[in-house]
Each structure stands twice: as C-alpha cells, then as structure tokens.
Amino acid sequence: MSAASPDESVPTPQQIRRALARAERGASLDAAEAAVLLAARGEHLDRLCAAAAAVRDAGLVAAGRAGVVTYSPKVFIPVTRLCRDRCHYCTFVETPAQAAREGRAPYLSPDEILAIAREGAALGCLEALFTLGDRPEDRWPEAQAWLDEQGYDSTLAYVRAMAVRVLEETGLLPHLNPGVMSWEEMNRLKPVAPSMGMMLETTSRRLFETRGEAHHGSPDKDPDVRLRVLEDAGRLSIPFTTGLLVGIGETRAERADTVFALRRTARAYGAVQEVIVQNFRAKPQTAMRHVDDLALEEYRAAIAVTRLVLGPRARVQAPPNLVDLEECRLLLGAGVDDWGGVSPLTPDHVNPERPWPSLKRLRQITEACGLTLAPRLTVHPEYVRQGEPWLDPRVSAHVAALATPDGLARPGVRPSGLPWQEPDGGFAHAGGRGRTDLHVRVDAEGRTDERRSDFADVYGDWDAVRDAASVTAGAPAVLHAEGREALAAAERDPGGLSDEHALTLVTADGDLLEQVRRLADDLRRETVGDDVTYVVNRNINFTNVCYVGCRFCAFAQRRTDADAYSLSLDQVADRAEEAWRLGATEVCMQGGIDPELPATAYVDLVEAVRARVPEMHVHAFSPMEVVNGTARTGLSIEDFLIKVREAGLGSLPGTAAEILDDEVRWVLTKGKLPTRTWVEIVTTAHRLGIPTTSTMMYGHVDHPRHWIGHLRVLSRIQDAAREHGAAGFTEFVPLPFVHTSAPIYLAGVARPGPTMRDNLAVHAMARILLHGRIDHVQTSWVKLGVEGTRAMLRSGADDLGGTLMEETISRMAGSEHGSAKTIEELAEIAAGIGRPVRERSTLYGEPHPG
C-alpha cells in the first residue's frame, strides 16, 4: 500500500506543461509550480529531468569542475543505536534489551570506534561518519549509566572526545550526525569536525502531530526544531548536510514546502553544503513495513524539482544504494551531482539491506552518462577553499593534508593521524595600524566605501536579510487620551507598567515626551540623587580579528586584512599598567571571535593584567566571548566562568545583547548567540556572584516594541538575581546604533541610527521600566557627543561610563565623538547642566586609584 496522505488533486496536463515551460526557460519557480512538477510523469518527467540536469551542469562549470560528480569514501561509525525517538520507518534504532541480547553495550567503546576508523583509513577512506540516535540518555537509564561509568556528561560529550581521537590517531575527518543539537552544542563540536549533518526530512507538521503518521511520538522530528538546527548551523558557519526523505506520507505540496524551506536556509546562511534527496524504502519489523517503496518516477521528479528550486550552486545528492545500480543513470539524469558517502568497509547501518555499490561499477555508470567520478572530503570543496570561518583552525591542518588546491580529495591519499591542538602563537601581533589614518569616501547618505575583504560572503544573502528586516514597521501614532492614561499609570507604578502603556510612552513625541522625560528624571533623582558618576578606565580591544559576521559591526577584520591586529599578553599588560599609573581603576577587555585564540586565552588575559596590576578591576568578555571560551576549552558555561573568576575577573560586560529578540538578532548578527544563550550566560554569572552590566543597541532594523521586550527580559533576569541575593546588573547602557561604516547600513538594510527623539525616549523609558530593579542608567558620550549626553542626563540617565582612554569599536563604526575623555571633560559635561560629578568604582562604590 502507499503511505497514507490526504487526498490531493492531480494537476492537469496543461498545468504541468505551463510549469514545465517556465522551468525550461530558467524562470524561478514558486511552491505551487514546484508541487505541480512533482506530479510530472512520462514525457513531461523526461523534459523536467533534462532541465534539471542542465542546471546541474551549469553549476559544475561555474564551480570550476565541469562534469565532475563527487562521492566521499567513508566508514560508518554507529556510536549508539539507542534513541529517544520512535520513527515509524527506522530499523537502525534498538532498545537496551535488544543490544544486551546480542552482546552489545549501549555504545561502541573507544577501541571499537578506533578499530573501525583505522581499518577504513587503511582502505583509503577519508570520512568517519558518526551516526547515532538522538539523546538516548533522555529515554534510557542504561545509556546514562554507561556514560556515567565512562566519565562523560552526555552522548555529545562522548562524540566530541571520540572525534578528537579519530583525528589524532587515524587522520579521518569526522562528519557528525547526532540528530538535533542546540546552538551551544554545535559550537562545542565545530572544533572537532569539519562538517555536520541532520536530515530535515519534511516540514509537514501533520506527519509530526497526527497519531499513526511517520513522525508522531518523536520529539526530535518537530519540523520547527529541525529548521532551528539548520539555522543555528548557519549562524555558526558550519558546513552542514541536510535533505528531505521522500515517500513517508507527505503530500506533494508538503514536499515542495520542504524544498523551499531548505532553499531559504541555504540562501540565508550559505552553510548548506549538500541536500540529500532520499527515497523511502520499507523495512521489516517497522510500523511502515507494509507501505510501498517510493516509485522511481516519483523519486526522479523529486530530485529534479529539488535541483531546479535550489539552483546551480547547490550540491544535490542521492544515495546510490537505495535504487538498483542501473537506475543510478536516471538519478544523474535528474540533476544529481553527488553520490554521498560510499564505504568499502562498513554497511549502511540505516539501510542494512541495501549494500553499497562497488566504486568500479559506480564509476562506470557515471562515465556512461558523460560525467566523471571524483572523491571529495566530508566537507565540500567550496568550504575547503574558503577555510575560515567554515573550518576551525584545529581541524584545518587535517583537512589540508587530504585536499587538493581546488578542495577535492588528493588522488591516492591515505590519511594519517595529526595532533588536534590549540593554534600556536597566542596573541602574536598581526601588524595592524589602527584606522585613524584611513581616508574613506562617504556618499550623500553617509555610507562609506570601506569594506572588510570578505564583505560579499561573510554576512550571508543580503536579499534574505532585507526580507527579514521588513518586519520592523514604523511606530503607531499616540492619541492624546492614550498618552494621558499611560503617563498616569507610569506615575503610579513605573516598574509595573503594562506593555501597551509602555509602547505608548516609548513612541511619544512633543509635550508627552517631555512629560515622560520629567518623570524619568524625577525617578533618577529619587533613586540615586543628582550626582553624575563616571569610572576612570581603559578599553583594551585585544584583537579585531573576527569571523562571526555580525552585520552591524565595522570593527571585525579577517586575519589577512591590512588593519587586522592582535595584541600580545605583554602588550595588554603594558596598557593596563599604563592606565593604572594614569589613575584608572578598571580595564574593560573585549575582542573579536578569533578562531585561532588559544583555549586558555581568556584566562591568560585576566591573569596577565592581574599579575602586572593586582588591584586593577578586570571587567571583561562579552557573553559571545564566554561561549567562544566554552567551545575552545570544552568547559560548561558555569565552569568557564568559575575559571576566569578565579583568575581575577571582577565583572562581565552585558554586551552582545543587541536586541534580545531572535528575529531582530538574525538580521543584525547572522552568527551570534541566540537570546536564550545570552540569558543563560548572564544568569549563570549572577548566580556565581559575578555582576554584569546590561546593554541594548537600538536604531537599526528594530521597532519600539522590541525595546520594550528587551527591557522586560532584563527585568526578569534582575528579579531572579535579587530573589537569590545576587547583585545582578550594575547598570543599563542604551547604545545608539552608529551606522556610518556598518555593513548592514552600507547594504541599504538598516536605518541611519536612531533619531534624537528615539534616544530621549529609550533613556527615559529605561529609567521608568527598570525602576526598582536597576539603579543606574548610563549614557554613551562616545556615541552621543556632549550635547546629546547632557540631554540624556536630563532624561533619567545618571552615569557617564568611563574615560575609556581608547574605544576602538565605536570609532571604527564611524563615531564622531572621540575615543577618550579626560576627567575634566566629563566634569564639564555635568557642569553644563548644573549637576555635580563624582568618580566611582566599577561596582559603583568608592574608587581605589593607584
């Protein structure tokens, strides 16, 4: 029988001809047309496949390897067959009882994993495919007990350790396929594997939510969860394999939707290295054992439509063992350009009844179609050639040992183990001059011509960014009666204001805005008095090398860029000592996310400063740097924070927050940590007694409702900190977006920063909504200048931040207000509005200067 699916009408021949004609002309298909073409059969199917093959051929020419179809020589390492899911078609998964009956432990041992890898390396394999069930310890106590006995916190921790051993002892390149992973987990696995993968399978919620359907009862098959994994892989610049499983009960419309979802993710991040189109084959002893295998014509149509929708740059794979060998010709004719992993040693453990074809026969069939078969690595050639940010430096040598200059596998190469280690060199100076001497052209709208060298690639697809940014429409007009009501509510209970009233006030203008400012200033006076405070500090941006690709950041450089720099530990300590002699009590250290930083970099930086100046307060490392530290050390967030605290860290900057809304964060940052991770790091720091600041960058692609939402998140975090007796946030710092050199502005996506109205409203509403929670609101003289700063001090702000001595990030973004202030200049800002000024410590106590 066929897999059950809702009745759907068969397209008419006229509909198919119309859609086919558009495909043959090279027109862009929509989802409805794709669904129609999935029904093509006979002559229509042959024409569809011919159009798809032509697109494939053009893409291979553009990639510089005309007519070359690839495969990956691999071994299949089934780390564990236990899984918490219950997919209705799977025979790979077993229970602990089944494993015990056959004499198997819940997991392959390290010796078993290495034995498979060594034998594969001896046979010329280059890839070690780690395949396993999703989070078996969540379902099976036997799995957790085995991990505990072996000393691993989780299955993924064991996978990470085994990947390192495979790299070091065999030279095979791990490709990790452990199912659903979080952003944090993938970030920790990236340094041990050139590529990872997870099949999307389908976007059909019906198959997930309906009892009896293929994915019902399998929490990791939630399409939204799986799409989030693909997006997170993109944010982390991980070359990622994914695909669709065809014939499990999905409709043609659902199948088309899956292909378009894959296209959206591929275009947004550029991280989808290949899309597998896999046909369903029924297996005995499964719930779907009586369902018919996917028909060959239906399979060909699915491959061809996938190729046409994804376009010439995509790599489209079909497993050659899931059809009869002679039928592989038809798959090539439908637009396939990759056969995936083929093993001379291990079976396909997911489809054990289907042996791999011999490479000799696969090559003959490929050549009979006028194409050439060539081996590749687990990571596709485009990513090999680009290197960073796609390849972590700790695996780049392993990849280079096996790759040709064009990124394919070296003919006849045999892998051998190489050390997996941190990059050498630490904080070696890279020779950058800073940027004060640059001469930059500026257009009529204030956009500069300055670009980092990889501007066209590192930020993703700008068209996709523009589409996403379109959600941030203008603010609603405020009616007089609404304003009166909202203001009265704020006067009664500032910190308890409703979202509706808060949005009314944050969008206020004219007289209502002046009343909001007066209320904020009254609350400031009630909370902290009239003193305007500042800290004498120095900003030390220890490197500007960064591969995250934040779209708002003009600070980041590639290591090969002329203005890239990295300070040595001695240089950092020298600057801290110089600052101490000049009266500073704090150094603020932040830098780019450089993949070549040693694992101990962050601890080394703190220790270097504290060794030279023991009394200096070290305020350092954004939550993004904390995540980088956990990935490089393998420590948990808590253990990493404890380690830097023990080294002498005094507090953490709450930067990297931007806007704590994931839709906005994707537009702004592409590769930066999700909101939930930022919150987890900050709350963990508070629980450990490490105070932090809090920030919000606004005035780009955001909306006033995002400002309110952001402040609500901070309020909840602070409430939780106070409940546990922690200090939590020391201050809130609104950061106006500096647009001049920001890539997202240069690409025409972002606004040119906030207006003065926006600045006044944000500072005032921060004071109102955070009343009773965060006492201090800081205003950034670097971004606002003297008069702008004075206006914010009349709108609820009470703190000027630091003297800075230097502040590279804002200066490189195009700030016109300098990068340092003397104490006298700060005092003059306050004196200009008749307020006293007072020096403070980082934590708002009395300073202890040297």
Side-chain angles (χ1 to χ4, degrees), residues 320-505:
N321 62 317
L322 297 187
V323 295
D324 294 340
L325 192 55
E326 287 301 316
E327 293 171 342
C328 286
R329 300 171 187 264
L330 296 173
L331 306 190
L332 288 170
V336 163
D337 60 5
D338 187 84
W339 290 124
V342 178
S343 180
L345 174 65
T346 52
D348 179 352
H349 289 278
V350 176
N351 300 281
E353 77 285 4
R354 303 293 302 186
W356 304 109
S358 73
L359 284 176
K360 179 180 178 180
R361 289 289 294 127
L362 195 61
R363 180 172 286 106
Q364 289 173 345
I365 286 174
T366 303
E367 290 175 352
C369 294
L371 300 163
T372 303
L373 185 65
R376 61 165 172 85
L377 307 182
T378 178
V379 59
H380 276 254
E382 295 83 350
Y383 303 91
V384 175
R385 292 197 301 269
Q386 290 183 57
E388 293 173 335
W390 302 106
L391 297 179
D392 188 280
R394 284 165 287 189
V395 295
S396 59
H398 301 81
V399 172
L402 305 177
T404 63
D406 62 3
L408 290 168
R410 285 168 48 199
V413 68
R414 289 291 187 270
S416 59
L418 291 173
W420 180 87
Q421 60 186 8
E422 301 305 327
D424 295 330
F427 290 93
H429 184 65
R433 298 172 296 168
R435 302 174 66 136
T436 54
D437 59 338
L438 292 178
H439 299 284
V440 180
R441 292 189 298 274
V442 180
D443 70 13
E445 296 183 0
R447 294 184 176 88
T448 73
D449 65 343
E450 189 179 349
R451 303 284 195 279
R452 59 183 280 173
S453 60
D454 56 352
F455 184 93
D457 301 315
V458 72
Y459 303 111
D461 187 309
W462 283 114
D463 288 335
V465 177
R466 290 185 187 94
D467 290 344
S470 66
V471 301
T472 57
V478 177
L479 301 177
H480 185 64
E482 292 175 347
R484 268 201 323 271
E485 179 185 330
L487 187 64
E491 290 169 344
R492 288 193 303 272
D493 183 10
L497 202 61
S498 71
D499 286 354
E500 181 182 358
H501 284 152
L503 186 61
T504 296
L505 296 183

Side-chain angles (χ1 to χ4, degrees), residues 435 544 554-557 563 741 807-815:
R435 302 174 66 136
N544 68 349
F555 170 74
Q557 301 286 301
D563 295 292
S741 299
E807 207 281 350
T808 311
I809 294 173
S810 291
R811 175 163 50 84
M812 293 178 79
S815 173

Side-chain angles (χ1 to χ4, degrees), residues 257-298:
D257 182 74
T258 302
V259 176
F260 275 83
L262 290 168
R263 186 178 76 172
R264 282 192 296 273
T265 302
R267 288 184 174 181
Y269 302 100
V272 174
Q273 65 166 358
E274 61 186 330
V275 171
I276 303 170
V277 186
Q278 182 172 334
N279 53 321
F280 168 77
R281 296 194 71 104
K283 296 174 177 59
Q285 300 178 338
T286 67
M288 295 179 67
R289 61 189 177 277
H290 298 303
V291 174
D292 293 337
D293 291 348
L294 184 75
L296 181 60
E297 283 198 326
E298 192 171 359

